[in-house]
Amino acid sequence: YQRRVHGNKPTCRETGQMVILNKKAYLFGGLGAERLNDLWSLSEESLNVWSWQQIKTLGSQIPGKRHGHCMSTWGNNIYVYGGASEYVPALKLRVVLGDMWKYSLEDNTWTEINTSELRNEKRMFSASCATEGLWFIHGGVNGEGPVSYTHLRAHETREDIVCRLLLEKK
């Protein structure tokens, strides 16, 4: 049983993220020879024949290069949260992100979601899962050390903003 893959392929990377939406897999970001912020789709063209396609989004907004982020879906949208953007050798410090972005499959655009009340919730290398409109994000590293609590995010309220409930905060 062999699958063939056609098209240009994404570069090798680690700590990028993938989600499935509308029978396609979507890959965003990661760390290869450099940090990445590219978006790719993988779809089945025919039985055992798959095709990669790099998505060139419309508009000028796009998430910064990152790895170790979380990714989830809701409706026809893909959400990206946090991650690390760079390493500053002189400070022996990773720059950890707390921003959230929405990619709309319908519009082929990225939009940054206003999470000003969560700016201190910077995380990378977290575990996450989503179900029925709820996005659980647990643990990870916030730039100062490990994080040992879970928070719950719900998307697509009327204001298109993120709601948060802290659970088990220690």
PDB file of all heavy atoms in Angstrom, residues 118-132:
ATOM      1  N   LEU A 118      -5.435  38.888  27.573  1.00  0.00           N
ATOM      2  CA  LEU A 118      -4.666  37.654  27.743  1.00  0.00           C
ATOM      3  C   LEU A 118      -3.197  37.814  27.384  1.00  0.00           C
ATOM      4  O   LEU A 118      -2.478  36.841  27.295  1.00  0.00           O
ATOM      5  CB  LEU A 118      -5.254  36.554  26.849  1.00  0.00           C
ATOM      6  CG  LEU A 118      -6.700  36.182  27.091  1.00  0.00           C
ATOM      7  CD1 LEU A 118      -7.122  35.109  26.108  1.00  0.00           C
ATOM      8  CD2 LEU A 118      -6.903  35.702  28.515  1.00  0.00           C
ATOM      9  N   ARG A 119      -2.733  39.018  27.166  1.00  0.00           N
ATOM     10  CA  ARG A 119      -1.354  39.210  26.695  1.00  0.00           C
ATOM     11  C   ARG A 119      -0.322  38.576  27.622  1.00  0.00           C
ATOM     12  O   ARG A 119       0.760  38.245  27.203  1.00  0.00           O
ATOM     13  CB  ARG A 119      -1.032  40.696  26.514  1.00  0.00           C
ATOM     14  CG  ARG A 119      -1.661  41.287  25.297  1.00  0.00           C
ATOM     15  CD  ARG A 119      -1.048  40.724  24.035  1.00  0.00           C
ATOM     16  NE  ARG A 119      -1.739  41.284  22.897  1.00  0.00           N
ATOM     17  CZ  ARG A 119      -1.707  40.775  21.698  1.00  0.00           C
ATOM     18  NH1 ARG A 119      -1.021  39.704  21.455  1.00  0.00           N
ATOM     19  NH2 ARG A 119      -2.364  41.330  20.714  1.00  0.00           N
ATOM     20  N   ASN A 120      -0.657  38.409  28.899  1.00  0.00           N
ATOM     21  CA  ASN A 120       0.292  37.763  29.800  1.00  0.00           C
ATOM     22  C   ASN A 120       0.220  36.238  29.701  1.00  0.00           C
ATOM     23  O   ASN A 120       0.949  35.547  30.367  1.00  0.00           O
ATOM     24  CB  ASN A 120       0.066  38.208  31.243  1.00  0.00           C
ATOM     25  CG  ASN A 120      -1.308  37.836  31.739  1.00  0.00           C
ATOM     26  OD1 ASN A 120      -2.183  37.482  30.952  1.00  0.00           O
ATOM     27  ND2 ASN A 120      -1.515  37.910  33.037  1.00  0.00           N
ATOM     28  N   GLU A 121      -0.652  35.725  28.868  1.00  0.00           N
ATOM     29  CA  GLU A 121      -0.800  34.279  28.702  1.00  0.00           C
ATOM     30  C   GLU A 121       0.074  33.776  27.560  1.00  0.00           C
ATOM     31  O   GLU A 121      -0.393  33.127  26.649  1.00  0.00           O
ATOM     32  CB  GLU A 121      -2.270  33.925  28.437  1.00  0.00           C
ATOM     33  CG  GLU A 121      -3.178  34.155  29.607  1.00  0.00           C
ATOM     34  CD  GLU A 121      -2.938  33.166  30.738  1.00  0.00           C
ATOM     35  OE1 GLU A 121      -2.348  32.093  30.499  1.00  0.00           O
ATOM     36  OE2 GLU A 121      -3.327  33.480  31.860  1.00  0.00           O
ATOM     37  N   LYS A 122       1.320  34.114  27.599  1.00  0.00           N
ATOM     38  CA  LYS A 122       2.247  33.670  26.559  1.00  0.00           C
ATOM     39  C   LYS A 122       2.612  32.216  26.829  1.00  0.00           C
ATOM     40  O   LYS A 122       2.917  31.860  27.959  1.00  0.00           O
ATOM     41  CB  LYS A 122       3.490  34.555  26.554  1.00  0.00           C
ATOM     42  CG  LYS A 122       3.165  35.996  26.236  1.00  0.00           C
ATOM     43  CD  LYS A 122       4.381  36.863  26.323  1.00  0.00           C
ATOM     44  CE  LYS A 122       3.995  38.290  25.999  1.00  0.00           C
ATOM     45  NZ  LYS A 122       5.135  39.185  26.016  1.00  0.00           N
ATOM     46  N   ARG A 123       2.580  31.414  25.757  1.00  0.00           N
ATOM     47  CA  ARG A 123       2.916  29.999  25.917  1.00  0.00           C
ATOM     48  C   ARG A 123       3.515  29.426  24.651  1.00  0.00           C
ATOM     49  O   ARG A 123       3.177  29.818  23.549  1.00  0.00           O
ATOM     50  CB  ARG A 123       1.666  29.178  26.214  1.00  0.00           C
ATOM     51  CG  ARG A 123       1.062  29.438  27.544  1.00  0.00           C
ATOM     52  CD  ARG A 123       0.246  28.258  27.911  1.00  0.00           C
ATOM     53  NE  ARG A 123      -0.681  28.600  28.975  1.00  0.00           N
ATOM     54  CZ  ARG A 123      -1.504  27.738  29.508  1.00  0.00           C
ATOM     55  NH1 ARG A 123      -1.553  26.510  29.063  1.00  0.00           N
ATOM     56  NH2 ARG A 123      -2.298  28.096  30.471  1.00  0.00           N
ATOM     57  N   MET A 124       4.370  28.440  24.871  1.00  0.00           N
ATOM     58  CA  MET A 124       4.866  27.623  23.765  1.00  0.00           C
ATOM     59  C   MET A 124       4.931  26.181  24.255  1.00  0.00           C
ATOM     60  O   MET A 124       4.962  25.925  25.461  1.00  0.00           O
ATOM     61  CB  MET A 124       6.241  28.093  23.310  1.00  0.00           C
ATOM     62  CG  MET A 124       7.304  27.997  24.350  1.00  0.00           C
ATOM     63  SD  MET A 124       8.859  28.638  23.712  1.00  0.00           S
ATOM     64  CE  MET A 124       9.860  28.522  25.168  1.00  0.00           C
ATOM     65  N   PHE A 125       4.930  25.271  23.327  1.00  0.00           N
ATOM     66  CA  PHE A 125       5.032  23.838  23.603  1.00  0.00           C
ATOM     67  C   PHE A 125       3.922  23.336  24.521  1.00  0.00           C
ATOM     68  O   PHE A 125       4.136  22.472  25.353  1.00  0.00           O
ATOM     69  CB  PHE A 125       6.406  23.471  24.166  1.00  0.00           C
ATOM     70  CG  PHE A 125       7.554  23.976  23.353  1.00  0.00           C
ATOM     71  CD1 PHE A 125       8.619  24.630  23.948  1.00  0.00           C
ATOM     72  CD2 PHE A 125       7.582  23.820  21.975  1.00  0.00           C
ATOM     73  CE1 PHE A 125       9.684  25.108  23.202  1.00  0.00           C
ATOM     74  CE2 PHE A 125       8.638  24.293  21.222  1.00  0.00           C
ATOM     75  CZ  PHE A 125       9.685  24.933  21.825  1.00  0.00           C
ATOM     76  N   SER A 126       2.716  23.874  24.365  1.00  0.00           N
ATOM     77  CA  SER A 126       1.565  23.427  25.150  1.00  0.00           C
ATOM     78  C   SER A 126       0.905  22.233  24.481  1.00  0.00           C
ATOM     79  O   SER A 126       1.058  22.010  23.284  1.00  0.00           O
ATOM     80  CB  SER A 126       0.527  24.558  25.237  1.00  0.00           C
ATOM     81  OG  SER A 126       1.065  25.681  25.865  1.00  0.00           O
ATOM     82  N   ALA A 127       0.139  21.502  25.267  1.00  0.00           N
ATOM     83  CA  ALA A 127      -0.726  20.456  24.724  1.00  0.00           C
ATOM     84  C   ALA A 127      -2.099  21.080  24.527  1.00  0.00           C
ATOM     85  O   ALA A 127      -2.551  21.878  25.352  1.00  0.00           O
ATOM     86  CB  ALA A 127      -0.807  19.293  25.705  1.00  0.00           C
ATOM     87  N   SER A 128      -2.763  20.733  23.429  1.00  0.00           N
ATOM     88  CA  SER A 128      -4.098  21.291  23.216  1.00  0.00           C
ATOM     89  C   SER A 128      -4.975  20.310  22.475  1.00  0.00           C
ATOM     90  O   SER A 128      -4.490  19.431  21.764  1.00  0.00           O
ATOM     91  CB  SER A 128      -4.025  22.617  22.451  1.00  0.00           C
ATOM     92  OG  SER A 128      -3.725  22.411  21.094  1.00  0.00           O
ATOM     93  N   CYS A 129      -6.274  20.463  22.680  1.00  0.00           N
ATOM     94  CA  CYS A 129      -7.261  19.708  21.919  1.00  0.00           C
ATOM     95  C   CYS A 129      -8.537  20.537  21.874  1.00  0.00           C
ATOM     96  O   CYS A 129      -8.765  21.407  22.716  1.00  0.00           O
ATOM     97  CB  CYS A 129      -7.514  18.328  22.518  1.00  0.00           C
ATOM     98  SG  CYS A 129      -8.284  18.363  24.141  1.00  0.00           S
ATOM     99  N   ALA A 130      -9.352  20.271  20.873  1.00  0.00           N
ATOM    100  CA  ALA A 130     -10.592  21.018  20.702  1.00  0.00           C
ATOM    101  C   ALA A 130     -11.741  20.047  20.499  1.00  0.00           C
ATOM    102  O   ALA A 130     -11.574  18.987  19.898  1.00  0.00           O
ATOM    103  CB  ALA A 130     -10.488  21.953  19.505  1.00  0.00           C
ATOM    104  N   THR A 131     -12.900  20.423  21.013  1.00  0.00           N
ATOM    105  CA  THR A 131     -14.111  19.643  20.818  1.00  0.00           C
ATOM    106  C   THR A 131     -15.316  20.547  20.985  1.00  0.00           C
ATOM    107  O   THR A 131     -15.353  21.369  21.904  1.00  0.00           O
ATOM    108  CB  THR A 131     -14.191  18.451  21.794  1.00  0.00           C
ATOM    109  OG1 THR A 131     -15.400  17.734  21.550  1.00  0.00           O
ATOM    110  CG2 THR A 131     -14.167  18.892  23.247  1.00  0.00           C
ATOM    111  N   GLU A 132     -16.260  20.463  20.093  1.00  0.00           N
ATOM    112  CA  GLU A 132     -17.528  21.182  20.174  1.00  0.00           C
ATOM    113  C   GLU A 132     -17.345  22.652  20.551  1.00  0.00           C
ATOM    114  O   GLU A 132     -18.023  23.177  21.417  1.00  0.00           O
ATOM    115  CB  GLU A 132     -18.459  20.488  21.164  1.00  0.00           C
ATOM    116  CG  GLU A 132     -18.813  19.079  20.734  1.00  0.00           C
ATOM    117  CD  GLU A 132     -19.714  18.365  21.719  1.00  0.00           C
ATOM    118  OE1 GLU A 132     -20.328  19.032  22.568  1.00  0.00           O
ATOM    119  OE2 GLU A 132     -19.796  17.137  21.622  1.00  0.00           O
TER     120      GLU A 132
END
